[in-house]
Amino acid sequence: MNSLISSEIFIPVLCSSILMATGMFIFLQSKKWENVIPASVLMSTGTCVETSLIIRCNGETILADFFAFIVLMISTVFILIMLFIIIEKEKKRKEKDNW
Amino acid sequence: MPSVKAIFLVITLMILIFVALSIRLKNKSHWFLFLSAFLCSILFFISGAWFTAIVSSIIFGFLTVALFFVKKRFEIRNERNIVETTEKNNFKKLLGNAFISSLVFILSLYFIISINFDLPAVEDEGFLERIGVWGDYCLTQKTVPFVIIPSIFLIFLSGIMAIQNRKGKV
């Protein structure tokens, strides 16, 4: 624990955790569909940077990129699914209003 | 030359400001989102994930353009939504969401503290072998499943809650 706090990567890791938590908060708090994208960008950046930092501090630069890429792909799929659900709901609401 | 810590702090602060502005200023939201996505890609570069930085800039750019076009399509519906959402927004929900967010924050930090500086060094091995050794390590560690499983559970829970919030059931 002490070695982590005194290390070079502690502040970057803290920053990425803040980004992740802020993204989660915006995602939960906001009910408007358009805020899903900024929230997801924050969340995925926080997670990817954190993953990259953990692995990179062990001297594995290529693996850091590889794992960060995998995390980015997973979060992108998550974002696209969320967007698809929300857009479909908006469409249905619009159709209901028109009806 | 400023240190990595200072660069990270400044860029994180700028990203948070731009995201806040993109949520607050409805007409210019895509521009602020574009700026924050650009800064996110710089964070990837600094953290050493070069390839991910290039891919993320393409994906985030695509999302920004998608937001611009989709927003135009649902503009009228959106204006109507503002009144509905502000009425339902109460303090209890805010506290609950803040609690979940802080739990995610603590869990992510705990995740780092648990596995950091303990990963096995695999030298003179191929790329796939190293991934295999690391995968085995992550699965056999006692702390990791206790952190990863709750994190995944929390992400799904937040997704379900966000959908429920939109329905107005929570």
Side-chain angles (χ1 to χ4, degrees):
Chain A
M1 178 77 182
N2 285 330
S3 61
L4 177 70
I5 291 169
S6 59
S7 76
E8 269 291 307
I9 66 150
F10 183 68
I11 298 289
V13 162
L14 198 71
C15 289
S16 53
S17 292
I18 289 168
L19 283 180
M20 200 199 287
T22 314
M24 183 69 84
F25 184 70
I26 294 168
F27 186 69
L28 286 171
Q29 188 59 28
S30 169
K31 284 174 217 90
K32 276 171 270 168
W33 60 270
E34 63 200 43
N35 294 341
V36 169
I37 298 177
S40 312
V41 166
L42 281 186
M43 263 160 61
S44 56
T45 304
T47 325
C48 290
V49 169
E50 209 163 90
T51 313
S52 173
L53 284 169
I54 306 163
I55 300 169
R56 199 191 174 202
C57 73
N58 287 277
E60 296 275 1
T61 43
I62 301 166
L63 275 184
D65 209 353
F66 179 74
F67 278 103
F69 178 71
I70 289 172
V71 172
L72 182 75
M73 284 298 111
I74 293 167
S75 54
T76 306
V77 169
F78 182 68
I79 294 169
L80 290 176
I81 290 168
M82 280 302 295
L83 264 182
F84 182 74
I85 292 169
I86 291 162
I87 288 170
E88 280 298 309
K89 278 189 176 174
E90 281 292 324
K91 267 186 188 172
K92 275 181 189 171
R93 273 185 197 172
K94 219 176 179 184
E95 277 170 15
K96 232 180 187 179
D97 284 358
N98 287 339
W99 186 256
Chain B
M1 188 73 184
S3 66
V4 178
K5 285 180 193 176
I7 295 171
F8 251 91
L9 272 175
V10 170
I11 292 179
T12 307
L13 208 68
M14 282 172 78
I15 289 171
L16 291 177
I17 290 167
F18 283 141
V19 167
L21 284 172
S22 82
I23 290 167
R24 198 75 192 154
L25 302 172
K26 301 268 171 327
N27 299 330
K28 308 266 179 191
S29 64
H30 51 279
W31 288 113
F32 286 113
L33 182 64
F34 179 74
L35 282 172
S36 55
F38 175 69
L39 289 173
C40 286
S41 299
I42 292 175
L43 272 193
F44 281 119
F45 268 112
I46 298 168
S47 67
W50 290 60
F51 180 67
T52 315
I54 295 162
V55 177
S56 72
S57 55
I58 294 166
I59 291 170
F60 291 162
F62 168 75
L63 283 176
T64 314
V65 174
L67 175 73
F68 178 68
F69 282 110
V70 178
K71 216 175 80 178
K72 264 194 165 178
R73 206 175 159 187
F74 295 111
E75 219 164 13
I76 306 159
R77 173 78 218 168
N78 229 6
E79 281 166 9
R80 209 177 295 168
N81 265 354
I82 295 167
V83 184
E84 289 170 14
T85 49
T86 44
E87 277 171 4
K88 285 169 191 168
N89 205 356
N90 56 29
F91 187 65
K92 208 176 169 185
K93 262 183 217 168
L94 180 83
L95 272 182
N97 294 339
F99 174 72
I100 291 171
S101 307
S102 49
L103 212 62
V104 169
F105 175 70
I106 292 161
L107 269 175
S108 62
L109 273 183
Y110 177 66
F111 176 63
I112 302 288
I113 293 162
S114 319
I115 71 163
N116 198 24
F117 303 113
D118 287 333
L119 289 164
V122 189
E123 287 169 6
D124 305 324
E125 297 275 1
F127 185 69
L128 287 172
E129 283 82 1
R130 277 192 292 173
I131 292 173
V133 172
W134 276 44
D136 286 344
Y137 173 82
C138 285
L139 288 172
T140 49
Q141 277 291 304
K142 279 180 187 172
T143 50
V144 176
F146 285 109
V147 180
I148 291 174
I149 294 165
S151 303
I152 293 167
F153 174 72
L154 269 175
I155 288 168
F156 276 104
L157 188 76
S158 63
I160 292 162
M161 275 184 71
I163 292 165
Q164 289 291 316
N165 269 356
R166 281 184 184 85
K167 278 183 186 170
K169 282 184 181 174
V170 177

